[in-house]
């Protein structure tokens, strides 16, 4: 039985990976959080790997606060770049294949076409730059890797756009949501399932994009969330074409997923259908 290490087990993707792992019994999956596998601590990482061997490592840990990264530059780089470099070096030494989760924010958002894996990167914020540097370190140090870029992740777990809208909608807060950015909301449960399918099929190493199908603005996303929340019909939703954020965001960062769909023989579900399915489950919970 092949052994799989998952970092960032307490994050939303880590928790979705834990759920998805129940359907892939051919793997022994070990979930770790930063108390055991801290990307900001090379010593802690090396110590853990010195006592354990894995066939695969799914790196779901990251510094993800886009605005805070603008001032917390060192920590963002320590985790997303230097920590990933150390992880790649350890995986090389241990013969471990690395599956690393990256982001649409490695692009500048100026393309009118959906981004393919070979498009030029040009991050416009510190978070995106730190994630890109992590990608570059992996490509430099480790041949046996998959870099999996995704976008606008949400799930039933943790702090994300879906749960923020549900929370403030329930409180009756006026929701002013931007129309300035276009991307694809991606259900982290779909991403987790694809990651395990990648372990099963082991396609050619390299960079892949996965997101749900379609594109929308954050306002469109919020509107769809409320449309699938019967209890929030009275929520106040308003458009704004100027929502100030500390960090710049790509104006359009839609990812083309044809490469991974062909490699894994899967079809990415549309973002509206995937959202509806998740919210149906949330709405029927006691």
């Amino acid at each position: 039985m092949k052994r799989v290490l998952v970092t960032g087990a307490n994050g939303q993707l880590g928790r979705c990976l834990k759920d998805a792992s129940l359907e892939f019994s051919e793997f022994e999956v070990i979930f770790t959080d930063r108390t055991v596998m801290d990307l900001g601590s090379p010593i802690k990482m090396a110590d853990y790997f010195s006592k354990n061997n894995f066939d695969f490592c799914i790196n779901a840990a990251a510094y993800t606060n886009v605005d805070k990264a603008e001032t917390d530059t060192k920590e963002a780089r320590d985790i997303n770049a230097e920590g990933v470099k150390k992880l790649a070096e350890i995986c090389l030494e241990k013969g471990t294949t690395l599956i690393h989760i990256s982001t649409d924010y490695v692009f500048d958002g100026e393309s009118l076409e959906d981004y393919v894996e070979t498009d030029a990167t040009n991050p416009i914020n510190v978070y995106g730059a730190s994630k890109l540097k992590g990608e570059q370190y992996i490509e430099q140090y480790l041949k046996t890797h998959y870099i999996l870029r995704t976008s606008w992740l949400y799930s039933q777990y943790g702090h994300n756009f879906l749960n923020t809208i549900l929370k403030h909608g329930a409180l009756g807060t006026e929701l002013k949501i931007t129309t300035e950015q276009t991307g694809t909301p991606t259900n982290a449960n779909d991403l987790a399932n694809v990651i395990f399918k990648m372990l099963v099929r082991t396609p050619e190493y390299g960079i892949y994009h996965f997101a749900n199908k379609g594109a929308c603005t954050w306002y469109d996303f919020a509107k769809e969330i409320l449309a699938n929340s019967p209890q929030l019909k009275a929520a106040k939703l308003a458009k704004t074409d100027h929502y100030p954020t500390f960090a710049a965001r790509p104006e359009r960062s839609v990812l083309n997923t044809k490469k991974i769909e062909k490699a894994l023989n899967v079809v990415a579900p549309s973002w509206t259908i995937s959202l509806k399915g998740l919210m149906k489950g949330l709405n029927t919970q006691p």
Side-chain angles (χ1 to χ4, degrees):
M1 180 178 288
K2 292 190 175 181
R3 303 187 80 223
V4 181
L5 172 68
V6 176
T7 68
N10 292 332
Q12 68 165 333
L13 178 56
R15 295 170 75 179
C16 290
L17 284 163
K18 194 166 189 176
D19 291 343
S21 69
L22 301 176
E23 302 298 321
F24 294 87
S25 58
E26 63 265 48
F27 299 110
E28 179 189 358
V29 189
I30 292 86
F31 293 87
T32 60
D33 60 23
R34 65 185 306 173
T35 64
V36 176
M37 270 288 294
D38 184 358
L39 265 66
S41 174
I43 294 174
K44 190 176 285 188
M45 281 195 288
D47 180 64
Y48 184 74
F49 267 95
S50 71
K51 302 169 185 174
N52 298 278
N53 292 303
F54 300 97
D55 297 286
F56 299 99
C57 173
I58 302 171
N59 181 32
Y63 183 105
T64 58
N65 191 322
V66 178
D67 286 325
K68 193 177 178 184
E70 294 296 305
T71 53
D72 202 4
T73 306
K74 184 179 184 303
E75 186 174 356
R77 186 180 175 89
D78 283 350
I79 295 172
N80 292 344
E82 301 306 318
V84 170
K85 175 185 175 184
K86 180 63 177 177
L87 184 59
E89 291 174 335
I90 293 172
C91 286
L92 174 62
E93 178 186 341
K94 301 289 285 188
T96 302
T97 297
L98 177 61
I99 301 90
H100 175 70
I101 311 306
S102 194
T103 174
D104 57 324
Y105 279 24
V106 299
F107 298 111
D108 59 20
E110 294 184 7
S111 175
L112 297 178
E113 302 296 325
D114 296 356
Y115 283 102
V116 297
E117 290 79 357
T118 54
D119 281 336
T121 52
N122 184 33
I124 58 175
N125 56 43
V126 170
Y127 166 71
S130 69
K131 292 293 287 184
L132 177 59
K133 190 63 179 177
E135 289 187 11
Q136 292 168 340
Y137 278 140
I138 293 171
E139 292 182 303
Q140 179 181 349
Y141 289 99
L142 183 66
K143 178 183 177 181
T144 57
H145 71 261
Y146 300 105
I147 294 169
L148 193 51
R149 294 175 182 147
T150 191
S151 66
W152 295 22
L153 274 189
Y154 71 92
S155 71
Q156 66 272 41
Y157 299 119
H159 178 72
N160 56 62
F161 189 79
L162 167 64
N163 289 332
T164 297
I165 293 298
L166 292 177
K167 175 184 174 182
H168 289 287
L171 293 174
T173 310
E174 183 180 22
L175 301 166
K176 285 190 175 181
I177 310 298
T178 183
T179 59
E180 293 173 288
Q181 298 149 40
T182 298
T184 306
T186 302
N187 187 333
N189 298 280
D190 293 336
L191 176 61
N193 193 50
V194 159
I195 290 170
F196 275 105
K197 287 182 177 178
M198 183 167 271
L199 302 190
V200 172
R201 295 184 70 97
T202 58
E204 181 181 353
Y205 296 124
I207 299 175
Y208 291 84
H209 290 171
F210 179 80
N212 287 130
K213 278 285 199 313
C216 67
T217 67
W218 288 109
Y219 173 83
D220 297 327
F221 188 16
K223 186 176 179 181
E224 194 70 16
I225 291 169
L226 295 178
N228 283 281
S229 305
Q231 71 277 21
L232 298 181
K233 284 184 177 177
K236 304 166 188 171
L237 181 62
K239 293 181 182 179
T240 177
D241 59 3
H242 183 66
Y243 188 84
T245 58
F246 200 74
R249 261 79 166 174
E251 186 174 330
R252 188 182 189 280
S253 57
V254 181
L255 300 176
N256 181 304
T257 61
K258 288 181 180 178
K259 180 182 177 182
I260 198 168
E261 289 180 293
K262 182 178 179 181
L264 301 183
N265 192 28
V266 298
V267 177
S270 76
W271 75 267
T272 53
I273 290 174
S274 192
L275 174 67
K276 186 175 183 177
L278 177 60
M279 295 200 64
K280 183 178 180 180
L282 295 178
N283 292 333
T284 56
Q285 287 180 358

